[in-house]
Amino acid sequence: MQLLTGWRLLWQHLTFLAHKELLALIKDPRMKVMLILPPILQGFLFGYAANYNLDEVPYALVDTSHSAASRDLVAHLDGSASFRRVVTLDSVAQVSDYVDAGDIIMAVVIPQDFESKLARGETAPVQVLSDGRNSSIAGIATGYVSSVVAQWNLTRAGGRSALAVESRTWYNPNQLTRWNFLPGLIGMISFVQVILLGGMSVAKEREEGTFDQLLVTPLTPKEILVGKAIPPILVGLFQSTALFLIALLWFRVPFQGSLPLLYLTLLLFALSATGIGLSISSLAHNMQQVLVYVLVFLMPMVLLSGIATPVANMPEALQIVTYVDPMRFALDAIRRIYAEGAGLQEIWPDFVPMMAIAAVTMPLASWLFRHRAT
């Protein structure tokens, strides 16, 4: 009987608490917006941004054959709605500049003896060089080429396999998905923790009733904010280090770049994320609001970062929005350092937006802190 009474009392407490929380959500006008806006916003983002389809594959052509047969094959590629030739190059050595710049997803290389092999009845190879930093997109693009080649074989050689596609993927030879995702997780996971810790810092003081005590200490508001920014940054760097070691030592994803440059990227990223978190924390009254705000901003920022789908696949309006997302530039820099071995000369354009976001959000957090304190 005592056990049954205890369970009944527990059920009543949970019911009353749930009722009270629901009333608080419904009666707060700001929370009404937070309840309605996220599903609408995320519905549009998932509908437009989460797109694994390639409507148009930008590629470079290296035709060293310059023959009627090679021109016929290229005509089939260009005639397909799936391909868009960005540039025609003279040698394979020129391909890397366009791949690194993100102008092309792949390059089609037709060898010099292409037509002569076909004339002898031999199988002529066509090489496809794809960007393996996104293994899913590389696999889809290579599949498109294979489909066009199969159609070309059918129309030209009566179904005989006169042509063979030799695929070679840069930076990810075996097109392993983890080689693409693990370097991205180094930034994404730490971002979630940093923005959450930064968001909780000031709101927690308010909720626990220690906010006023903090204000009467000899510390200035700026010193308080800087002191509160350091722990999230350290936690973010620690988590990034743990993920880096897991990727490198456990999954054997080879690291090609510079460790100091990688940590400089992570430091700038953590600083910009902390600025966003402290701005949210200074704006919120309690930790519950912080959680709602963080959840509202976090999903779009992760989705728009390019960790799962390329930013170039998104509508132009969304591509513009990504410029206020520090994760986009952090992930691009981390992946290029990790997989390509890119140096500061190639990475510095990603630093500028992250520093700009930190330069805006940190003073904003300081202003909000002083404004809300009065």
Side-chain angles (χ1 to χ4, degrees):
M1 181 63 70
Q2 239 179 356
L3 182 61
L4 185 60
T5 304
W7 279 107
R8 186 180 297 112
L9 184 61
L10 176 61
W11 173 255
Q12 289 176 348
H13 289 172
L14 291 176
T15 303
F16 292 151
L17 180 61
H19 186 251
K20 187 265 297 180
E21 293 296 329
L22 285 173
L23 286 177
L25 289 174
I26 294 172
K27 290 184 178 295
D28 189 343
R30 289 168 298 184
M31 298 307 297
K32 288 181 182 178
V33 177
M34 292 298 106
L35 290 173
I36 297 172
L37 185 60
I40 297 176
L41 180 62
Q42 292 173 18
F44 278 105
L45 288 175
F46 274 106
Y48 285 108
N51 179 20
Y52 282 98
N53 297 324
L54 279 176
D55 299 325
E56 191 179 69
V57 178
Y59 81 100
L61 174 66
V62 182
D63 184 5
T64 58
S65 175
H66 302 293
S67 60
S70 66
R71 287 192 294 270
D72 185 47
L73 175 62
V74 172
H76 276 71
L77 287 172
D78 292 341
S80 170
S82 301
F83 295 95
R84 174 174 59 88
R85 196 198 315 180
V86 175
V87 64
T88 301
L89 304 176
D90 297 324
S91 67
V92 178
Q94 298 173 310
V95 172
S96 59
D97 293 334
Y98 291 89
V99 172
D100 294 342
D103 295 331
I104 61 173
I105 293 176
M106 68 177 191
V108 176
V109 182
I110 301 177
Q112 188 173 5
D113 57 353
F114 177 76
E115 189 170 50
S116 61
K117 283 190 174 183
L118 290 176
R120 293 194 300 267
E122 301 177 6
T123 299
V126 172
Q127 191 174 54
V128 177
L129 305 177
S130 56
D131 184 358
R133 289 170 295 183
N134 193 320
S135 56
S136 299
I137 299 300
I140 294 172
T142 303
Y144 285 177
V145 176
S146 298
S147 177
V148 172
V149 167
Q151 183 64 31
W152 190 85
N153 282 330
L154 185 63
T155 57
R156 182 179 175 87
R160 181 176 60 85
S161 296
L163 199 63
V165 174
E166 294 181 356
S167 177
R168 188 178 68 183
T169 305
W170 287 1
Y171 311 122
N172 188 356
N174 296 319
Q175 295 187 3
L176 298 176
T177 303
R178 66 168 62 100
W179 283 34
N180 174 52
F181 274 99
L182 285 175
L185 288 178
I186 293 174
M188 191 195 76
I189 299 299
S190 64
F191 176 76
V192 174
Q193 190 66 39
V194 167
I195 196 172
L196 188 59
L197 288 176
M200 290 291 188
S201 58
V202 178
K204 186 178 180 181
E205 298 282 356
R206 288 197 178 99
E207 191 163 309
E208 293 181 349
T210 58
F211 185 70
D212 292 334
Q213 297 177 13
L214 189 65
L215 292 177
V216 298
T217 61
L219 296 173
T220 65
K222 289 183 179 179
E223 290 172 337
I224 293 172
L225 280 179
V226 172
K228 287 185 172 295
I230 293 175
I233 292 175
L234 293 178
V235 170
L237 292 176
F238 173 79
Q239 291 187 336
S240 296
T241 300
L243 288 164
F244 171 74
L245 293 175
I246 291 172
L248 181 66
L249 302 179
W250 182 260
F251 291 102
R252 306 292 182 181
V253 182
F255 178 68
Q256 306 292 345
S258 164
L259 272 177
L261 185 58
L262 176 65
Y263 275 92
L264 176 60
T265 303
L266 292 172
L267 180 61
L268 292 176
F269 179 44
L271 186 62
S272 61
T274 302
I276 296 173
L278 288 174
S279 298
I280 293 173
S281 183
S282 300
L283 186 64
H285 287 93
N286 50 53
M287 289 188 288
Q288 185 181 16
Q289 287 188 2
V290 169
L291 287 174
V292 174
Y293 293 154
V294 168
L295 289 175
V296 168
F297 285 104
L298 197 59
M299 181 59 72
M301 293 179 79
V302 171
L303 190 59
L304 292 172
S305 67
I307 189 170
T309 57
V311 174
N313 263 23
M314 303 176 190
E316 187 175 353
L318 286 183
Q319 292 185 38
I320 296 173
V321 174
T322 61
Y323 280 93
V324 298
D325 185 357
M327 195 187 306
R328 170 196 169 174
F329 303 99
L331 293 187
D332 180 69
I334 291 170
R335 282 172 168 170
R336 296 189 65 186
I337 295 170
Y338 199 110
E340 298 176 28
L344 182 60
Q345 186 176 358
E346 294 82 20
I347 297 303
W348 73 263
D350 286 322
F351 287 175
V352 176
M354 288 191 288
M355 291 188 293
I357 292 170
V360 171
T361 55
M362 293 300 286
L364 176 63
S366 177
W367 182 87
L368 288 172
F369 185 83
R370 292 194 305 269
H371 180 73
R372 305 283 291 197
T374 56

